[in-house]
Amino acid sequence: MVLKKRVKRTPIGRRQADTEYPRLTFDQAFDLVVSAKCAEGLRERTLTGYSNHWKQFTKWLHDNYGVEYVDELTSDHFRDHVNYMRYDAKRYDGHKFITSEQRIGLSDTTVNTRLRTLKAVFNHLSREDLIEVNPITNVKLIRQDVNFPFGERFDISLQ
């Protein structure tokens, strides 16, 4: 009886990446995510919010960086976008009924909501192996003050 020779196991760090990742434009990536999220049963209102936030993000990217593909993004792009939303974005910009001058800068809650949308999109792309590196993993949500009914103020971090 002849025994087979054991094959030596290769440590994980030394394995070569055999996975090839597609080069997706922003529209292609978002279409893939929306179709998957529809299959998961997300509500129409949620998908509409995703679409609005994605359009605002990609418009900002094209205006400021000229990035064309999803795999070209880094964490710095997202942090710059957060700073833009907090300090430079006009409230109600493009709204059809509110035409008066509004203050500059979005609220922390709005910024966190939009950031959660981007995290959901890129986490899905990463889970489905459509991008090699998830650029938004190291981007944290903004800290927000919470007002309690008794007038005390506490600072919490949302993650």
Side-chain angles (χ1 to χ4, degrees), residues 11-61:
I12 293 174
R14 295 187 184 172
R15 290 183 188 163
Q16 292 183 0
D18 296 333
T19 309
E20 290 205 20
Y21 298 95
R23 192 146 168 99
L24 298 172
T25 64
F26 290 104
D27 292 336
Q28 291 171 337
F30 189 68
D31 288 342
L32 289 170
V33 171
V34 167
S35 64
K37 294 294 181 181
C38 282
E40 291 175 9
L42 260 65
R43 299 201 187 281
E44 187 64 34
R45 174 68 176 110
T46 304
L47 295 173
T48 303
Y50 279 18
S51 177
N52 291 338
H53 297 162
W54 187 257
K55 286 176 189 171
Q56 291 166 351
F57 174 67
T58 54
K59 181 184 179 310
W60 176 83
L61 266 178

Side-chain angles (χ1 to χ4, degrees), residues 139-158:
V139 178
K140 304 286 185 210
L141 296 177
I142 297 172
R143 294 178 61 100
Q144 292 180 290
D145 289 338
V146 176
N147 293 327
F148 288 96
F150 301 110
E152 300 150 359
R153 215 175 156 121
F154 293 98
D155 195 25
I156 63 168
S157 177
L158 302 175

Side-chain angles (χ1 to χ4, degrees), residues 59-71:
K59 181 184 179 310
W60 176 83
L61 266 178
H62 291 301
D63 291 346
N64 293 300
Y65 289 101
V67 178
E68 294 182 28
Y69 296 100
V70 174
D71 59 353

Side-chain angles (χ1 to χ4, degrees), residues 22-121:
R23 192 146 168 99
L24 298 172
T25 64
F26 290 104
D27 292 336
Q28 291 171 337
F30 189 68
D31 288 342
L32 289 170
V33 171
V34 167
S35 64
K37 294 294 181 181
C38 282
E40 291 175 9
L42 260 65
R43 299 201 187 281
E44 187 64 34
R45 174 68 176 110
T46 304
L47 295 173
T48 303
Y50 279 18
S51 177
N52 291 338
H53 297 162
W54 187 257
K55 286 176 189 171
Q56 291 166 351
F57 174 67
T58 54
K59 181 184 179 310
W60 176 83
L61 266 178
H62 291 301
D63 291 346
N64 293 300
Y65 289 101
V67 178
E68 294 182 28
Y69 296 100
V70 174
D71 59 353
E72 296 173 347
L73 292 176
T74 64
S75 296
D76 291 335
H77 290 109
F78 292 101
R79 289 189 185 102
D80 287 347
H81 185 61
V82 168
N83 285 330
Y84 163 75
M85 289 189 290
R86 288 184 80 185
Y87 304 115
D88 297 331
K90 294 179 185 173
R91 288 186 180 211
Y92 307 111
D93 192 29
H95 197 279
K96 58 184 172 183
F97 297 119
I98 301 175
T99 57
S100 62
E101 281 295 314
Q102 297 294 327
R103 74 181 182 105
I104 303 294
L106 305 176
S107 72
D108 291 344
T109 304
T110 303
V111 173
N112 280 340
T113 302
R114 292 183 182 181
L115 209 54
R116 281 187 191 99
T117 297
L118 294 175
K119 280 182 173 275
V121 169

